[in-house]
Amino acid sequence: MRAVCYIRVSTDQEDQKNSMQTQQAEFKAWVEKNGYEIAENCGVWYSHEGTKVTKGLYADEGITGTSLKNRKAFKKMMEDAKKRKFDIIFVKDIKRFARSVEDFTKNLKDLKEFGIGVWFELLKLNSLDNSKEFIINLFASLAQEESNALSQSVQVGIRRIQKLGKWNAQIPYGYDVENGYLKINPKEAEIVKLIFDLYLNKNYGTAKIMKYLNEHKIPTKRGKVIWRQRIIRLILQNPIYVGQQITHRSITIDVNRKLRKEIPEEEQIIHYFPHLQIIDNETFEAVQKELKKRLEMFENNHRPSNVHLFSNLIYCGHCNTNFRRKRRQYDKNRFYWCCNGNDRYGSKFCNHRNTLDEEYLIQYIKDEIEKFKKMDHKAIFDEYIYVNFDSAEADKKVEELSQEIEKIQKMIKTNLMLLTDGIIDKEQYKSQNDELQAELKAKKNELNKYKTINQEITRLEAEFKDFIKYINEIDLENLTNAILKKIIKKIVVVTIEHDPFNNNERTTGISIHWNFIDGMSVEEIQRRYVAKIMNCSVEETYIV
């Protein structure tokens, strides 16, 4: 019979390498004792140092046994087994073969179908011996439990150092680790500031920032000059840059099946370290809002752009499509903006072209900015607060949200039980869990808003004052797309078939949604204010 040997160690330390040599020697002795021959033309050794072909020996060096994903030698052995290149596999013990009962059972079953047995040296058992199947499966279960227990022990240790404020994960860009604690890397910190500035003030997208960094040969954390959009987005979203170090965000609930559970925000380990702050709070919050805004644009098939003054700022009030810029046929130096949906797909998509001359639009925006500067800002803010932060309704809302949160938490537990009982698979669990966790986070944020009304009002007031200060300092003769996007969320254009204020003639209505207090237009705030006072719907305020 042709025999092969499978060896695995989870680290490449010297004592583990010695273990591999010992297993090789035991395999050769076993082959000689039982009259087998070592299989020809098969065998491979994978390690961090490279790959080498071996005779009858499959080895995974420095690879964990909890998953088959990275065990290249094991996968190659199973491929060769299918081709009947050998008759029996020698393994030191079950833990070397697999620590997951699921993987263990499946692979043993496949090998049995190929007519190939596995000899477990410590148990002195052959997998083809049906009378020993129960014992083999029992030891496989024990190996899995041992693996889970080890994982739990490791996680307790990790939790202990996290509570001390130490860092045990991948080091974020802009920092180094010294004695277990994060510290700012001055060179990288300047690049972090540059990334935030390019995104917020220069209106760059993550793709354009990536291109900029790569063209300027700025190295990544690993020293490579290959930036990815995903990395830039993670930097823009990471609260570590305002000194908020968050750990214990998820835990492993089954190390063998690689199942992880998200940790609720209130149970996460959070440290506030002013000495780690690279980006000021106002800039960070502004970037989060801009990220959300651009994501919404993508979801509505609006591609973010800053090519022209009004790029991605004007929207059709009838079909919600963004406007496009076009050149006048009779005058190549003049441009106009119109509904993209109508222009591309015709009246079947949108009945209104909503054409606006660019020169008129520029002057209109300048006039509206000047008009806004002269408004009673305090009155607008007070109306907004009255509409959205009625303390009489807050208690009722807190109770409603608390009940909804409790319901979602029960659903999360039920979802985990369904997975544990084998009713749903890992993919279904993850999909449902992600959805429930997102909903839970949104409800908790809303609840926190109502629980901390006074703090929220103070925050909004400071934000509003900053907005007014910025708009008052704008140079109207040097407007850019980036400047407009900082003060305007969107410009909505509608066609009014019978305008009562213009002898019932057909006119074009323009509404500016300013980039403050939820991006609402002043008109919308006032309508909601009137509706609340008069106890009627917002729609009815048009009649009033």
Side-chain angles (χ1 to χ4, degrees), residues 489-503:
K489 183 177 182 182
K490 61 182 177 179
I491 301 165
V492 180
V493 182
V494 296
T495 295
I496 306 170
E497 296 293 345
H498 302 286
D499 188 350
F501 299 103
N502 192 30
N503 298 320

Side-chain angles (χ1 to χ4, degrees), residues 188-301:
E188 291 180 358
E190 289 305 311
I191 303 303
V192 171
K193 291 175 185 177
L194 173 66
I195 290 170
F196 274 80
D197 180 62
L198 290 174
Y199 188 83
L200 186 64
N201 300 319
K202 303 295 189 298
N203 210 28
Y204 279 32
T206 52
K208 197 170 180 181
I209 295 173
M210 174 189 72
K211 186 179 178 183
Y212 178 94
L213 297 176
N214 287 335
E215 284 179 350
H216 286 76
K217 301 192 182 306
I218 296 169
T220 63
K221 192 69 183 173
R222 295 182 178 179
K224 297 179 180 179
V225 191
I226 307 174
W227 286 84
R228 306 290 184 200
Q229 280 183 264
R230 184 182 65 85
I231 300 301
I232 293 162
R233 179 168 286 276
L234 287 173
I235 287 174
L236 292 169
Q237 293 175 316
N238 198 337
I240 189 64
Y241 298 114
V242 288
Q244 188 180 29
Q245 181 177 300
I246 305 174
T247 51
H248 188 44
R249 293 186 177 191
S250 64
I251 58 169
T252 301
I253 56 175
D254 189 330
V255 66
N256 299 291
R257 299 174 71 183
K258 301 296 179 186
L259 293 179
R260 294 188 68 80
K261 172 188 171 186
E262 298 298 318
I263 300 297
E265 283 187 30
E266 64 271 16
E267 294 177 23
Q268 293 174 5
I269 299 171
I270 302 175
H271 294 280
Y272 294 92
F273 293 138
H275 66 280
L276 293 181
Q277 186 160 10
I278 295 174
I279 303 297
D280 63 83
N281 293 348
E282 293 75 19
T283 298
F284 187 80
E285 285 303 317
V287 165
Q288 304 320 299
K289 287 183 179 179
E290 185 64 19
L291 282 164
K292 184 181 177 184
K293 178 183 172 182
R294 295 189 195 181
L295 178 61
E296 288 171 355
M297 290 172 68
F298 268 119
E299 289 173 348
N300 291 308
N301 297 317

Side-chain angles (χ1 to χ4, degrees), residues 513-531:
H513 291 235
W514 300 98
N515 221 0
F516 73 95
I517 45 181
D518 293 343
M520 293 166 64
S521 65
V522 174
E523 292 82 2
E524 187 179 356
I525 293 171
Q526 290 172 338
R527 287 206 314 272
R528 291 190 183 188
Y529 177 72
V530 171

Side-chain angles (χ1 to χ4, degrees), residues 3-8 19-28 31 38-46 51-61 72-74 76-77 80 86 88-91:
V4 296
C5 174
Y6 177 71
I7 301 172
R8 178 193 61 78
S19 171
M20 293 188 81
Q21 292 169 0
T22 302
Q23 290 178 59
Q24 281 181 269
E26 289 177 344
F27 167 59
K28 288 178 180 177
V31 165
I38 297 176
E40 301 278 353
N41 302 319
C42 60
V44 64
W45 187 309
Y46 285 101
T51 305
K52 59 183 179 182
V53 176
T54 57
K55 180 183 176 182
L57 175 66
Y58 296 89
D60 283 310
E61 185 180 340
K72 296 180 181 179
F74 188 92
K76 182 69 172 77
M77 181 179 72
D80 289 346
F86 48 81
I88 192 165
I89 302 168
F90 173 92
V91 182

Side-chain angles (χ1 to χ4, degrees), residues 20 47 75 130 190 214 263 269 428 438 443 467 473:
M20 293 188 81
S47 71
K75 287 192 279 189
N130 292 329
E190 289 305 311
N214 287 335
I263 300 297
I269 299 171
Q428 289 173 300
K443 293 294 181 186
F467 177 82
E473 293 173 352

Side-chain angles (χ1 to χ4, degrees), residues 66 93-96 98-102 104-105 123 133-151 255-256:
T66 56
D93 62 17
I94 282 177
K95 286 187 290 186
R96 302 294 161 197
R99 284 193 174 180
S100 161
V101 171
E102 192 177 343
F104 180 86
T105 305
L123 295 177
E133 187 174 344
F134 172 76
I135 297 173
I136 291 172
N137 287 333
L138 174 63
F139 276 92
S141 298
L142 290 173
Q144 177 172 292
E145 287 309 307
E146 180 187 336
S147 181
N148 280 328
L150 179 61
S151 171
V255 66
N256 299 291

